[in-house]
């Protein structure tokens, strides 16, 4: 078993230019596989709304659903840092709400940190949560909870605004920041300017680490594979073949055979 990843581990990795590797997971079996493989961070992302629940955005995901999934992931992981993702409207309406909801991830679900979306606009919320002793990962650039405000899932190119957001979330106390849907040259400048680790998704190779959504990484997303994602395995194809074999064997009398009978 590898030692548990902490914030200190991540800072040291940034200092040594050692890449941080993160992925999402939403349940016990996949979190266990990811943890055994040596992943550094497991984010229980609100992307579960789209890849697990089949919604067309992350907006319907609730706090209770996030707690349910985060608890399963925490039970599985002995090595990775577990981050719970604050769902839409769990932190936007007020600071008190934000602290209470962030606390639930640590108190009820075994996470070590939380993530929330937004830059300068949420910096006071980041400060309030981290002042309460809860580590906060920020998330700037393409922020899926603002899909309607952004007019779709669009790459964000306003370099001045992105840099200002990054500096502000760092100053507010974020321990790390996800950079999503940002041109590589802008992410490179942000990564150099910050002392906290940047974790990229669709943000090029210069970030301190990378994160992918489990279903994109393992070929479980039949609907849409984004340009920035790479499929490292085709579990969807393998699962379909296995199930087809099962159907075939039951219908042709191959299963159950003697070895499966009492
Ligand atoms: O919800 C999620 O999975 C995320 C990652 C894509 C960073 O926010």
């Amino acid at each position: 078993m590898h030692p548990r990843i902490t914030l200190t581990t991540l800072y040291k990795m940034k200092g040594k230019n050692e890449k941080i590797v993160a992925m999402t997971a939403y349940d016990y079996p996949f979190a266990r596989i990811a943890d055994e493989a040596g992943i550094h961070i497991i984010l229980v992302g609100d992307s579960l709304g789209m890849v697990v629940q089949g919604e067309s955005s992350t907006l319907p995901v609730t706090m209770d659903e996030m707690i349910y999934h985060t608890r399963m992931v925490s039970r599985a992981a002995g090595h990775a840092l577990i981050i719970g993702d604050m769902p839409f409207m769990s932190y936007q309406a007020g600071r008190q709400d934000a602290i209470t909801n962030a606390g639930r991830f640590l108190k009820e679900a075994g996470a070590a940190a939380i993530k929330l979306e937004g830059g300068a606009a949420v910096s006071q919320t980041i400060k309030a949560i981290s002042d309460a002793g809860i580590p906060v990962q920020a998330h700037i650039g393409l922020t899926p909870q603002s899909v309607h405000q952004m007019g779709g899932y669009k790459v964000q190119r306003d370099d001045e605004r992105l840099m200002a957001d990054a500096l502000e979330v760092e100053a507010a106390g974020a321990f790390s920041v996800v950079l999503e849907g940002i041109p590589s040259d802008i992410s490179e400048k942000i990564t150099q300017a910050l002392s906290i680790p940047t974790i990229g998704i669709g943000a090029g190779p210069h970030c301190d680490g990378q994160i992918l959504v489990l279903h994109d990484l393992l070929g479980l997303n039949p609907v849409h594979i984004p340009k920035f994602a790479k499929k490292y395995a085709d579990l969807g194809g393998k699962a379909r073949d296995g199930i087809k074999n099962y159907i075939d064997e039951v219908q042709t009398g191959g299963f159950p055979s003697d070895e499966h009978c009492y």
Side-chain angles (χ1 to χ4, degrees), residues 25-117:
Y26 316 98
D27 63 18
Y28 183 88
F30 277 115
R32 210 171 124 172
I33 291 166
D35 197 63
E36 282 169 4
I39 205 83
H40 301 121
I41 297 175
I42 300 178
L43 170 71
V44 187
D46 66 351
S47 50
L48 73 85
M50 297 170 88
V51 298
V52 176
Q53 298 175 333
E55 301 282 1
S56 59
S57 77
T58 59
L59 303 185
V61 178
T62 67
M63 260 313 290
D64 286 342
E65 288 163 351
M66 290 306 304
I67 295 295
Y68 172 73
H69 284 274
T70 305
R71 199 183 296 133
M72 289 189 261
V73 168
S74 300
R75 279 193 209 117
H79 159 70
L81 182 84
I82 307 299
I83 304 179
D85 205 5
M86 300 278 284
F88 182 56
M89 291 317 292
S90 67
Y91 56 98
Q92 289 91 340
R95 227 157 278 162
Q96 205 54 49
D97 250 18
I99 298 171
T100 306
N101 285 324
R104 288 188 65 194
F105 279 99
L106 275 64
K107 208 173 165 66
E108 298 174 37
I114 61 97
K115 176 174 85 58
L116 55 76
E117 294 182 10

Side-chain angles (χ1 to χ4, degrees), residues 39 41 51 68 70 85 107 120 122 125 134 140 159 163 168 171 173 187 209 219 223 231 233 251:
I39 205 83
I41 297 175
V51 298
Y68 172 73
T70 305
D85 205 5
K107 208 173 165 66
V122 292
T125 307
I134 301 166
I140 65 169
D159 54 346
M163 181 61 85
E168 195 145 337
S187 315
V223 184
K231 187 158 104 175
Q251 293 189 326

Side-chain angles (χ1 to χ4, degrees), residues 23-26 43-49 51 58 66 85 115 117 137 139 142 144-145 178-180 199-201 211-214 228:
M23 63 183 281
T24 66
Y26 316 98
L43 170 71
V44 187
D46 66 351
S47 50
L48 73 85
V51 298
T58 59
M66 290 306 304
D85 205 5
K115 176 174 85 58
E117 294 182 10
Q137 182 175 59
H139 180 163
L142 193 172
Q145 290 176 14
V178 170
L179 306 181
E180 177 165 354
I199 308 293
I201 176 159
I211 182 161
L212 282 178
V213 168
L214 178 149
F228 57 76

